Amino acid sequence: MNTPTSDKAITIGIVGLGLIGGCLALDLQQLGYRVYGVTRREATAQTALEQGFVTRASCDLALMGQTDVVFVCTPMAAIVPTVGQLAQHLSTSTVVTDVGSVKAEIVAAATALWPNFVGGHPMAGKAEAGLAAAEPGLFDHRPYVVTPIKTTRLQALAQIKQIATQLNARLYTASPTEHDHAVAAISHLPVMVSASLLHTCFNEDNELIKTLAQNLASSGFCDTSRVGGGNPDLGTMMAQYNRTALLKTLQRYRHQLDDITQIIEKEDWDTLNQHLSRSQQERPHYL
C-alpha cells in the first residue's frame, strides 16, 4: 500500500460500517488518515471503536461535518438519501463518494444534491458480510472504477483517484453508463444465472435425483452457484438499479443458451467443441 504524504491531515468519514466500509477504514487508517465512522447501530459503532477500525464513531451523521472526504458505504437504496442528509452537515469543500455497484442513476441524483460528489465502485468483496468480516488489503490489486460526469469537479475526482491509488487498487475511469453496461455482464448477470442454476436444481421433481444431486455436488457446482446463493437484497438492488442494462445482457445470454441448445439437439459435436474451445480461449481475458 502506498503511504500518503501531505494528506495525513485529512479526515475521512465512512457512512456504513459493513464489509466494504470496515475494510476501507482499516486500510485508510493504515495509510495514516484519521477515520470517522457513522453506522445505524450503536453496538456496531462501539465495536468499530473498540477494535480500532475508526478513531471516532457515532450513529449521528453530524460527525461527518468534521471530515474532508466521505465514503457512503450504505446499501444502494440508501446512497442518495444519505447524500441528501449529509448535505445538512458538510462543508461545501467536502468531497463525497460512494461504493455502489450501479452508477448512472445514483451519480446523477447524488450530484444534484451535492455538487462535490464523485461516483466510485471498488470491485472487491467476500462471501461474508458485516464488520466482523472486514480485513485489511481487500482492495489490493482489485479494480476501482471512478465514474465522473460533465459536472464532476476535477479536484474532487483527483482526490478520490489518489485515495484509490493509495489503496493499491487498479484504477479505471468510465462514464456511469459504460460502467453499468460492463458490470451488467460480469457481475449482475452471473448473480441471475447462478440463482437460476440453483432454482433448476431444487425444482427437480424426482426427490431421489434431487437428493443425489445435493450429495454429489462438488467444486464445479460450488463455483458456479456461489453468487446466486449470496445476499438476496443486494441481488435485487442490482436488478432494480441496473434494470435496462441487465435486461439487455440477459437477452444476449438467452440467445447464447438457444444457440447451444440447438447445437446439442442437432448432435453437432464439432461445433460444440469449437464453441467450448472459444470459451476456453476467451476466459483468461476476464480473470
Side-chain angles (χ1 to χ4, degrees), residues 121-185:
H121 181 200
M123 300 194 66
K126 296 171 60 178
E128 303 85 2
L131 186 64
E135 61 183 28
L138 185 72
F139 312 103
D140 188 42
H141 288 97
R142 301 299 302 165
Y144 197 120
V145 191
V146 289
T147 57
I149 57 177
K150 289 182 179 179
T151 59
T152 301
R153 296 177 178 175
L154 294 181
Q155 186 174 354
L157 177 61
Q159 189 153 36
I160 300 306
K161 282 184 172 182
Q162 181 183 31
I163 293 172
T165 301
Q166 290 167 347
L167 291 169
N168 211 28
R170 292 189 284 116
L171 182 65
Y172 297 91
T173 302
S175 74
T177 301
E178 290 168 341
H179 166 277
D180 289 355
H181 279 81
V183 298

Side-chain angles (χ1 to χ4, degrees), residues 180-262:
D180 289 355
H181 279 81
V183 298
I186 53 88
S187 180
H188 301 169
L189 174 65
V191 171
M192 304 308 155
V193 171
S194 179
S196 298
L197 168 64
L198 286 162
H199 276 260
T200 301
C201 293
F202 67 66
N203 281 317
E204 167 63 52
D205 292 333
N206 187 319
E207 286 298 323
L208 177 62
I209 298 299
K210 180 177 177 179
T211 301
L212 182 60
Q214 290 171 343
N215 291 331
L216 296 180
S218 189
S219 58
F221 186 82
C222 180
D223 291 343
T224 52
S225 65
R226 181 181 65 82
V227 293
N231 186 331
D233 293 334
L234 180 58
T236 300
M237 284 188 285
M238 288 175 179
Q240 179 181 350
Y241 284 87
N242 204 20
R243 177 178 176 272
T244 300
L246 178 57
L247 283 173
K248 288 181 179 178
T249 307
L250 280 166
Q251 289 164 2
R252 292 204 310 273
Y253 182 71
R254 178 183 290 170
H255 177 70
Q256 291 296 323
L257 285 178
D258 290 341
D259 281 353
I260 204 166
T261 298
Q262 291 176 11

Side-chain angles (χ1 to χ4, degrees), residues 6-24:
S6 60
D7 291 324
K8 287 188 177 181
I10 289 177
T11 299
I12 296 180
I14 296 176
V15 180
L17 292 173
L19 172 67
I20 299 300
C23 291
L24 275 171

